[in-house]
Amino acid sequence: MNSYGSFPGARPRRLRTTPVMRRMVAETRLHPADLILPAFVREGIAEPVPIGAMPGVVQHTRDTLRKAAVEALEAGVSGIMLFGVPEDAKKDAAGTAGTDPDGILQVAIRDVRAEVGDDLVIMSDLCLDEFTDHGHCGVLDAEGRVDNDATLERYAEMAQVQADAGVHVVGPSGMMDGQVGVVRDALDTIGKEDVAILAYTVKYSSAFYGPFREAVGSSLKGDRKTYQQDPANLRESMRELALDLEEGADMVMVKPAGPYLDVLAKVADAVDVPVAAYQISGEYAMVEAAAEKGWIDRDKAILESLTGIRRAGAQMILTYWATEAARKLGGV
């Protein structure tokens, strides 16, 4: 039989014969503009502090953060997501350093905005976990549980001080019910209608966050399973998606990325807003550790993992390799 629809007439390998042929027929293209760089800035340090579980990633000083932002911009990266790490003495039960106009995160936003202006999309983590002495993403009630509605009041304050500092996009990441709507109202109340919301719509309670806890100097005791999602669930994610869109999310995110590509694809198919995915610290650490052992080709694994996330439907990818990957993709 020699029909087009079956062997030997049908030979898919014809389109894999040369590098340029494979490039020409590629269905997914990864571009520097797809990438967003998460970055940590720590208060009270004179030199960057390496993060042991994330080789190549540091807690920045204010000066090195500005430099990192410029490097990301020059490589073609679209955005930077900022996380603030306050001095331990400034942590308290309500995370007040997170709403202090002169707190480290707000200062960092102003620094980066002054350095790059509107040429890089400046995003900020809108959550209390870096600033609370108990390490949870919200304030606690008398029984030690995260108080959803009291936490929303704090998120509203955080949104306003971050907007005043000059952020382009806020990323409410605490997984409190109603957080997107409260943040939108808080921003609009002070005339910051142009500040966009990247909703952490699907955020699972994941073992892959481990290295991040070191990166932000987390004080967490216990876990976050009462507000982050159960890794076993998908329908729950779609319900969260519907709620965030109804409340005014401009963009939505799936986090982590790699272990949840099925969820990412489902979300991407369901919406008409931009979709992001966060390749988190544990995903980064696994590749770096395996590469250090000589078990995998590091550079190829990085680009393959990012391509997989892009193929699953992410238009934007938050990754600690953003600047490095962008340089490789752009030939810089």
Side-chain angles (χ1 to χ4, degrees):
M1 189 174 182
N2 194 27
S3 67
Y4 176 77
S6 60
F7 181 83
R11 293 180 181 266
R13 286 183 56 190
R14 292 185 186 118
L15 302 185
R16 305 171 193 156
T17 52
T18 67
V20 71
M21 176 71 81
R22 293 191 293 272
R23 185 184 68 186
M24 182 180 73
V25 301
E27 300 171 30
T28 302
R29 300 192 189 280
L30 191 64
H31 190 276
D34 302 332
L35 305 178
I36 296 165
L37 176 68
F40 308 100
V41 57
R42 179 172 168 182
E43 189 172 27
I45 57 173
E47 299 290 337
V49 177
I51 298 168
M54 299 175 69
V57 180
V58 301
Q59 294 173 326
H60 284 287
T61 68
R62 289 174 60 186
D63 285 340
T64 64
L65 177 65
R66 286 192 288 263
K67 181 181 178 183
V70 170
E71 290 175 347
L73 171 61
E74 291 174 344
V77 171
S78 285
I80 186 168
M81 173 67 80
L82 302 178
F83 295 85
V85 184
E87 295 175 323
D88 285 344
K90 294 184 179 179
K91 294 183 179 182
D92 59 26
T96 53
T99 51
D100 180 353
D102 295 319
I104 183 59
L105 183 51
Q106 284 68 251
V107 168
I109 292 168
R110 290 196 292 269
D111 284 345
V112 175
R113 187 66 187 265
E115 191 73 35
V116 300
D118 293 331
D119 293 336
L120 191 68
V121 178
I122 302 167
M123 305 178 172
S124 55
D125 181 56
L126 200 165
C127 195
L128 290 171
D129 60 318
E130 298 99 317
F131 305 101
T132 55
D133 54 13
H134 47 73
H136 279 287
C137 296
V139 295
L140 305 182
D141 63 17
E143 298 181 16
R145 301 171 301 187
V146 175
D147 186 324
N148 190 95
D149 295 5
T151 298
L152 293 181
E153 295 179 17
R154 302 288 295 123
Y155 286 1
E157 295 177 54
M158 288 190 80
Q160 291 176 340
V161 295
Q162 290 177 5
D164 284 339
V167 77
H168 296 106
V169 179
V170 294
S173 62
M175 294 302 290
M176 297 297 116
D177 294 339
Q179 63 184 11
V180 172
V182 166
V183 167
R184 182 72 272 157
D185 287 346
L187 292 169
D188 293 351
T189 296
I190 61 168
K192 297 293 184 179
E193 294 90 351
D194 287 345
V195 174
I197 298 176
L198 171 56
Y200 282 61
T201 293
V202 182
K203 184 178 182 183
Y204 286 99
S205 179
S206 173
F208 293 97
Y209 294 135
F212 182 86
R213 307 280 160 80
E214 178 188 350
V216 296
S218 175
S219 304
L220 180 67
K221 298 176 180 63
D223 59 51
R224 297 179 173 135
K225 292 182 179 180
T226 64
Y227 45 102
Q228 293 179 353
Q229 290 172 238
D230 185 340
N233 293 349
L234 172 59
R235 286 194 299 270
E236 181 183 33
S237 299
M238 303 311 291
R239 186 181 184 205
E240 292 275 6
L241 175 64
L243 291 168
D244 282 356
L245 292 174
E246 182 181 347
E247 292 173 25
D250 298 289
M251 301 172 279
V252 297
M253 185 194 295
V254 175
K255 181 180 182 182
Y260 298 94
L261 295 182
D262 60 324
V263 181
L264 173 58
K266 187 87 169 177
V267 168
D269 285 344
V271 301
D272 58 3
V273 298
V275 176
Y278 198 145
Q279 186 181 53
I280 66 170
S281 58
E283 298 175 72
Y284 176 95
M286 287 192 301
V287 171
E288 292 288 351
E292 191 274 332
K293 291 283 189 181
W295 293 340
I296 61 173
D297 184 312
R298 177 183 179 275
D299 290 355
K300 290 180 180 178
I302 290 170
L303 293 180
E304 183 178 335
S305 67
L306 292 171
T307 300
I309 297 166
R310 184 74 178 85
R311 186 188 63 245
Q315 295 164 262
M316 303 167 291
I317 305 172
L318 287 85
T319 175
Y320 300 100
W321 290 304
T323 301
E324 178 184 352
R327 286 171 175 160
K328 287 181 169 62
L329 293 167
V332 178

